[in-house]
Amino acid sequence: MSSQTITLIVSPRGKPIKTLPQESEVPRNAPATELYNYLAAASGTSVHRLRVTKGSDGQLVPNRADVSIKQTGLMDGSKVFVKDLGPQISWRTVFVIEYLGPIIIHPLVYLLRPYLYASPNKLFPFPAPSSLQTLSLLLVSFHFVKREYETIFIHRFSAATMPLRNIFKNSAHYWIIGGLNMAYWIYRPNAPTAKPMNVFFTLLGVLLFFTGEIGNLSSHLTLRDLRSSRGKERGIPQGLWFELVTCPNYMFETMAWVGVFLVTRDFATVIFLLVSVTMMCIWAKKKERNYRKEFGDKYKNKRYTILPGIY
């Protein structure tokens, strides 16, 4: 063994992994991806299913080409644990499936109104959709079609996959809360959207919606440019809104859905908005912690992560 090669002691964490080697020899200056590729090849498992942690402190050994074995703190004789994360699915595929729900459900409920709801007046034909209901459909559909476009052409994911089982949990938010629940209540013949339009709140809602959508897209473009295509490198986002909060993409997302609420004036929209904001606040807080940990003094700490003056 050369002085530049170290031997790692390998043990499975959780259920056994067939043919997982008990030792692994890797060059100390090699990228961490080399360790993952070796373990995956030796065990006949997809590299995306493996999670490698240090035996000394339990810290993750990142599957990144820009981090060397030496930089992880592993030394000759160090022990690493390897966990099989189970069947995986790509993040991009998950996002496409998630956002597809409202795109399908809202137009279907809108078009099938006469068959889904009782007529408010048996003496007259079932009423046509109101202008507010049509506007609500257009706004919701625009939002999720935009998200599909961003998923396919803009987003660059730091992780390639997630556990397959997560797709059901993640999709429930969009297919059930943002899809079935919102659509059912918004397109009813006696919904608030079926009543006369409040011009002021409607115009304000549309203004907030498109301001939020444009700001959200701009933030996503800024985040995309921090990482090369198929790269996993990280950077500090710059720009006016990134000086204000940690995640302006979430701030603008919130603004857009406040706009949708002003148009729909429906409690189902409030439920979707509150659940979404709660999740985004959790993600933004985690992102702020990661920025501080990874970049230290290079990163300007933010007091607010998503909602200026609030959170």
Side-chain angles (χ1 to χ4, degrees), residues 115-137:
Y115 307 100
L116 298 176
Y117 306 103
S119 177
N121 192 324
K122 301 295 184 180
L123 300 178
F124 296 95
F126 194 88
S130 70
S131 56
L132 271 182
Q133 289 174 325
T134 301
L135 177 60
S136 300
L137 172 66

Side-chain angles (χ1 to χ4, degrees), residues 11-247:
S11 295
R13 181 178 292 279
K15 66 179 182 179
I17 302 174
K18 292 182 179 180
T19 70
L20 181 72
Q22 295 181 344
E23 292 184 350
S24 173
E25 289 191 358
V26 290
R28 195 160 183 241
N29 292 321
T33 51
E34 188 167 321
L35 173 61
Y36 274 85
N37 292 335
Y38 168 75
L39 294 172
S43 61
T45 305
S46 167
V47 69
H48 300 303
R49 290 179 63 142
L50 300 182
R51 176 184 174 89
V52 181
T53 53
K54 295 160 59 178
S56 58
D57 55 14
Q59 285 191 345
L60 174 70
V61 177
N63 184 14
R64 290 171 54 181
D66 60 336
V67 176
S68 69
I69 298 294
K70 180 180 179 179
Q71 288 174 317
T72 66
L74 291 172
M75 300 178 292
D76 187 43
S78 292
K79 187 172 186 177
V80 295
F81 288 102
V82 182
K83 181 178 178 62
D84 182 355
L85 300 174
Q88 301 287 297
I89 185 171
S90 76
W91 275 86
R92 199 178 306 277
T93 300
V94 171
F95 276 34
V96 168
I97 293 173
E98 286 176 354
Y99 302 142
L100 191 60
I103 293 174
I104 295 173
I105 293 169
H106 277 261
L108 275 179
V109 175
Y110 177 87
L111 293 173
L112 296 177
R113 293 171 65 257
Y115 307 100
L116 298 176
Y117 306 103
S119 177
N121 192 324
K122 301 295 184 180
L123 300 178
F124 296 95
F126 194 88
S130 70
S131 56
L132 271 182
Q133 289 174 325
T134 301
L135 177 60
S136 300
L137 172 66
L138 293 175
L139 295 183
V140 172
S141 299
F142 178 89
H143 173 80
F144 287 107
V145 168
K146 166 184 165 290
R147 296 308 302 270
E148 294 283 31
Y149 174 84
E150 292 173 332
T151 296
I152 297 170
F153 297 107
I154 295 178
H155 290 330
R156 292 173 179 169
F157 299 93
S158 58
T161 64
M162 69 164 65
L164 178 62
R165 63 182 180 274
N166 286 359
I167 192 172
F168 302 103
K169 176 185 66 177
N170 291 19
S171 296
H173 175 65
Y174 295 100
W175 284 71
I176 298 176
I177 303 178
L180 289 171
N181 189 56
M182 276 186 60
Y184 175 82
W185 295 104
I186 289 174
Y187 306 119
R188 289 176 302 145
N190 58 346
T193 47
K195 295 177 171 55
M197 177 189 303
N198 183 307
V199 176
F200 173 77
F201 285 112
T202 301
L203 292 179
L204 178 60
V206 171
L207 176 62
L208 286 176
F209 176 81
F210 283 107
T211 301
E213 293 294 312
I214 293 170
N216 180 262
L217 174 61
S218 175
S219 300
H220 286 157
L221 290 172
T222 298
L223 293 170
R224 178 201 63 180
D225 293 340
L226 295 176
R227 179 176 295 131
S228 61
S229 180
R230 298 186 180 181
K232 294 185 179 181
E233 68 273 21
R234 304 176 191 274
I236 301 174
Q238 306 291 335
L240 173 62
W241 303 114
F242 285 96
E243 297 297 321
L244 183 63
V245 293
T246 309
C247 298

Side-chain angles (χ1 to χ4, degrees), residues 245-260:
V245 293
T246 309
C247 298
N249 50 322
Y250 296 158
M251 176 183 73
F252 286 116
E253 176 103 358
T254 302
M255 180 185 298
W257 280 104
V258 169
V260 174

